[in-house]
Amino acid sequence: MNEPAPILPVRMVNEYAYCPRLFHLMFVGERWEDNDYTIHGRSVHSRIDGENDPLPPPPADPDDPPVIARSVSLGSETLGLSGKIDLLELEAGQAVPVDTKRGNVPPTPQRCYEPERVQLMCQGLLLREHGHASDSGMLYFAASRRRVRVDFTPELEARTLHLISEARAVANNTHPPPPLTDSPKCVGCSLAGVCLPDETNLLSGRQGETPDIRRLYPARDDALPLYVQEQGARVGKSGEALSVEKGRAKLGMFPLKDVSQLVLCGNISVSAQCLHLLCQRGIPVVHLSMGHWFYGVTAGIGLRNAYDRAAQFAAAADDGRRLTLARAFVRAKALNQRTLLRRNTTSDIDAPLADMRRLIAQIDTCADVDQLMGVEGSIASLYFANFGTMLAEGPARENFSPTSRNRRPPKDPVNAMLSFAYALLAKETTVALLAEGLDPFWGFLHRPRHGRPALALDLMEEFRPLVADSSVLSAINTGMVALPDFVISPAGCAMNDSARKALIRAYELRLDQMITHPVFDYRCSWRSVIRVQAKLLAKVLRGEIPSYSGITTR
Ligand code: SF4
C-alpha cells in the first residue's frame, strides 16, 4: 500500500533543492550533524524564534498602515507544506516574507542561491493559500546586514511546485538517492560525514571525474571518551559539564563538548539528570564491569529510520549474504593477524606464517559459517601460539609470553589485557553501529545470543589485531605495564588499577593515531576508520554499495 505523500516543512524543500540525498537523510533518516554553518545559523535564528505571532488577516484596504508579524507558522494540505516565516511585512496590499540567512550576500548574479529562492517561494505560496497577495519576498543576510529581493516569478513558482512534488515522492522511498558526484556542495554539507559521497560513489562504481576521494569529515575528533574508573564515584550534571565526585571529594569537571562517550568501569553511579542530558545530546554511556566485561550502552532514542534495521535482519536471514559478510569479517581479521605477526616478530616463524596463508586461502571455499568458524579458529591458534614472538626481547618477553589465547577467566597477563582491550573495542563498534541505526545484537558471523552484541563482534574482527592487539603489544613493549600490575592466581589473572589505566591509555592513543586510509588514501584516525566501516556496512545492507570489504593493512 502506498503511503500518502507527507507534509514537508518548508526548510526541507530548501534541502531538497540543495541535494535530494541530503533531504532524504534529514527528513526520512532523521540524521542531523552540526557543522560551523548550522551552529551559526541556529544562533542567528535563536534571536527570531522566541516569538510566535498569528497570521494577520489580509489588509482590507491597500492603504492600511503596515503590519509586522514574527515567527508566523503556516500550513497547507493542498500544497503539502508547513513552515514558519521569520518575519512577515504587510504593506500596500502585499504580504512580504523575510527569511534570515546567516552569511553574506552571495556573489552570484541573483545575489542568492536557488534553494533560498525556493524556500522563500514556498512561504509566498503558503501566504497565497491563506488569502494574501504575495508577489515577492526578502532574504536578509545577517553577516552583510543586507536584504535581497526575490520576485515570485511564474518560473520560480513552477520550479518550486515541481521540487515540492518530487521531494514528497522521494520522502516515500525507503532508501536515499545516490550522492552527488564531485560536487562542491558536499564540502559545506553538514551531513557529508554521514553521506560519505566520494567513498560511496567509488565503492558503488559511480566515480566522478576527479579520482581523489575528499575526506569531508574531521580527521580526528575534538571530543573523546571520558573513562570513570574510581570505584564508588558518582557522575552528575553541572550546567554544560559533567562532574565526577566521590563522597565530598570533587574528582573533576568535564565540559560536555569534550566528551564523546561516558565510559563507566565498575561501580560508578550516574544521576538521572545527567543521563537525560547525555541521551538528549546523543552521548552514549558505556557500561563495563571491573572484570573487563562489556555490559552494554545507554543511549538516547537515536535514529528512527527502521529501514536499515529491516535490511540488516533480511540479510541475516539470507544464508548466502550471511556467509559472504562473515567471510569478509574473517578474511580481514586473518590477514591483519598475519600482517601484524610478520611485521613485528623477532623470531623465525616462516612455517606458521605459511600455514596461515594456506588457511586464509580456504576462507572463500567455506560452504557455511560453521566451517568458516573452524578455519578462523585454526588461524587464531597459529596467531596466538606465536603472539609472544612480537614482544620485545628481555623482560617483556620473559615475563609476558603467552602460549595460547584463553579467557573466562584469562590465565596470564597478556590474555587479561587482550580481554580488556577486546571489551573496549566491542564498545567502540557497538557505539558506531548504534549511530548508524543498526542493531548491534544481530550479527552474521556471530549468531545472536542473549547479551552478546553479535554485529559489534563481527565488525570488530578486522580491528582486533589493528587496534586491540597492537595496544596490548605497545603497553608491554614500551613498559607501560609490568608484572606487578597483575594479580595471578590459580583462578586466573586480573589487572590492577594501574594496568587498566595504562592499557586504556595505550588503546586511546592507538585510536587517535593518524593513518593513511588503506582504501580512500586520505589521512584520518583509527577511530574514524572504525566509524566509516560501520557506515559502509550500513550502506552495504541497504544496497547502496555492492559488497563489504574489511580494512586490511600491508
Ligand atoms: S555530502 Fe553531498 S551528496 Fe551527500 S548529502 Fe551532502 S550534498 Fe548531498
Side-chain angles (χ1 to χ4, degrees):
M1 192 175 74
N2 282 342
E3 290 281 328
I7 303 286
L8 299 182
V10 165
R11 194 175 61 81
M12 284 296 143
V13 185
N14 174 324
E15 308 295 2
Y16 186 84
Y18 187 81
C19 168
R21 182 174 171 89
L22 177 65
F23 159 79
H24 195 282
L25 290 172
M26 283 185 163
F27 187 66
V28 181
E30 300 190 33
R31 303 297 300 245
W32 177 261
E33 305 256 315
D34 269 326
N35 64 8
D36 289 349
Y37 302 128
T38 60
I39 292 168
H40 189 204
R42 199 162 48 238
S43 91
V44 167
H45 270 92
S46 66
R47 285 171 236 143
I48 305 157
D49 286 346
E51 302 164 52
N52 271 306
D53 289 342
L55 176 67
D61 186 323
D63 292 331
D64 281 356
V67 174
I68 283 184
R70 294 176 199 280
S71 277
V72 178
S73 293
L74 292 178
S76 159
E77 294 229 355
T78 314
L79 290 168
L81 284 181
S82 68
K84 203 178 235 190
I85 298 175
D86 292 344
L87 177 67
L88 179 60
E89 295 175 348
L90 301 183
E91 194 172 1
Q94 283 287 316
V96 180
V98 182
D99 200 51
T100 301
K101 300 294 170 199
R102 55 161 208 102
N104 286 299
V105 175
T108 59
Q110 288 171 288
R111 297 163 70 223
C112 58
Y113 296 112
E114 188 195 40
E116 296 160 343
R117 291 194 292 278
V118 164
Q119 183 174 358
L120 209 53
M121 183 71 242
C122 286
Q123 297 178 357
L125 290 170
L126 281 168
L127 286 164
R128 289 177 188 172
E129 272 284 301
H130 286 78
H132 284 270
S134 184
D135 294 342
S136 67
M138 291 284 182
L139 291 165
Y140 172 66
F141 289 90
S144 336
R145 299 187 177 186
R146 298 277 297 277
R147 281 186 170 195
V148 171
R149 179 187 161 110
V150 175
D151 288 324
F152 297 156
T153 61
E155 293 76 25
L156 179 59
E157 181 179 339
R159 170 77 178 147
T160 303
L161 289 170
H162 173 73
L163 289 172
I164 296 169
S165 156
E166 267 190 5
R168 293 182 85 196
V170 167
N172 273 343
N173 293 341
T174 52
H175 296 316
L180 305 175
T181 44
D182 292 336
S183 172
K185 288 182 180 179
C186 299
V187 177
C189 173
S190 65
L191 288 190
V194 173
C195 164
L196 299 179
D198 292 4
E199 296 88 337
T200 307
N201 283 333
L202 174 78
L203 297 176
S204 58
R206 247 191 336 264
Q207 210 172 346
E209 284 169 13
T210 318
D212 288 346
I213 304 296
R214 299 166 297 176
R215 180 182 48 68
L216 298 173
Y217 57 87
R220 186 181 259 148
D221 288 351
D222 291 336
L224 292 172
L226 169 63
Y227 289 86
V228 185
Q229 301 185 69
E230 184 65 34
Q231 299 308 293
R234 180 177 170 78
V235 185
K237 162 184 177 297
S238 174
E240 281 293 297
L242 299 181
S243 65
V244 183
E245 299 173 5
K246 184 173 181 183
R248 295 187 171 193
K250 292 197 185 313
L251 304 182
M253 290 282 275
F254 304 90
L256 218 51
K257 67 174 178 44
D258 297 339
V259 179
S260 64
Q261 308 164 8
L262 173 63
V263 187
L264 307 176
C265 307
N267 175 28
I268 321 285
S269 58
V270 194
S271 73
Q273 294 93 327
C274 178
L275 271 182
H276 296 170
L277 179 68
L278 292 167
C279 286
Q280 271 171 11
R281 298 292 170 87
I283 299 175
V285 183
V286 178
H287 306 270
L288 297 179
S289 76
M290 278 283 290
H292 324 150
W293 189 254
F294 170 51
Y295 282 133
V297 178
T298 304
I301 294 168
L303 302 180
R304 274 154 269 188
N305 183 0
Y307 301 122
D308 286 350
R309 285 189 294 286
Q312 175 187 354
F313 301 142
D318 176 332
D319 285 345
R321 289 192 75 191
R322 189 185 152 212
L323 180 59
T324 304
L325 280 163
R327 278 184 187 143
F329 299 131
V330 171
R331 188 186 307 111
K333 176 172 86 166
L335 285 168
N336 290 332
Q337 285 176 325
R338 188 174 180 280
T339 302
L340 191 71
L341 207 47
R342 180 173 55 72
R343 273 210 214 148
N344 293 288
T345 187
T346 51
S347 306
D348 176 6
I349 56 163
D350 287 354
L353 285 174
D355 288 346
M356 286 176 84
R357 185 191 289 132
R358 183 178 47 75
L359 286 163
I360 289 168
Q362 291 176 16
I363 289 172
D364 283 338
T365 64
C366 290
D368 56 39
V369 173
D370 288 340
Q371 208 181 339
L372 181 64
M373 285 291 220
V375 173
E376 185 260 347
S378 304
I379 297 169
S381 294
L382 283 166
Y383 172 69
F384 285 112
N386 292 280
F387 194 89
T389 70
M390 295 189 280
L391 299 175
E393 294 196 23
R397 190 172 294 189
E398 283 154 26
N399 293 332
F400 284 95
S401 283
T403 51
S404 64
R405 172 82 182 117
N406 53 69
R407 56 206 175 114
R408 292 193 201 150
K411 295 191 176 61
D412 54 70
V414 167
N415 276 292
M417 283 195 284
L418 286 173
S419 291
F420 190 31
Y422 294 151
L424 296 177
L425 189 53
K427 66 107 176 138
E428 212 69 52
T429 50
T430 301
V431 168
L433 291 166
L434 282 172
E436 294 315 304
L438 296 177
D439 183 342
F441 290 88
W442 207 262
F444 298 95
L445 173 65
H446 296 88
R447 292 312 277 168
R449 194 195 300 155
H450 183 70
R452 174 159 87 166
L455 188 62
L457 297 178
D458 287 357
L459 179 60
M460 75 182 254
E461 290 291 14
E462 63 205 77
F463 295 107
R464 283 179 191 255
L466 296 173
V467 173
D469 301 358
S470 293
S471 309
V472 170
L473 287 171
S474 154
I476 297 172
N477 287 342
T478 60
M480 293 167 81
V481 292
L483 213 48
D485 295 329
F486 298 85
V487 181
I488 304 170
S489 73
C493 173
M495 302 164 71
N496 70 10
D497 259 11
S498 141
R500 258 193 302 276
K501 281 182 184 154
L503 186 53
I504 288 174
R505 210 165 54 245
Y507 170 81
E508 288 296 329
L509 277 172
R510 180 67 175 166
L511 283 183
D512 224 25
Q513 187 182 335
M514 298 292 284
I515 59 150
T516 300
H517 194 288
V519 180
F520 306 128
D521 205 30
Y522 50 52
R523 300 286 289 168
C524 63
S525 67
W526 276 115
R527 203 187 303 277
S528 302
V529 177
I530 293 176
R531 287 195 201 143
V532 167
Q533 287 298 98
K535 290 179 202 301
L536 294 179
L537 179 58
K539 289 174 197 295
V540 170
L541 294 174
R542 76 168 83 101
E544 264 196 90
I545 50 181
S547 59
Y548 181 82
S549 292
I551 286 294
T552 54
T553 54
R554 271 175 279 155

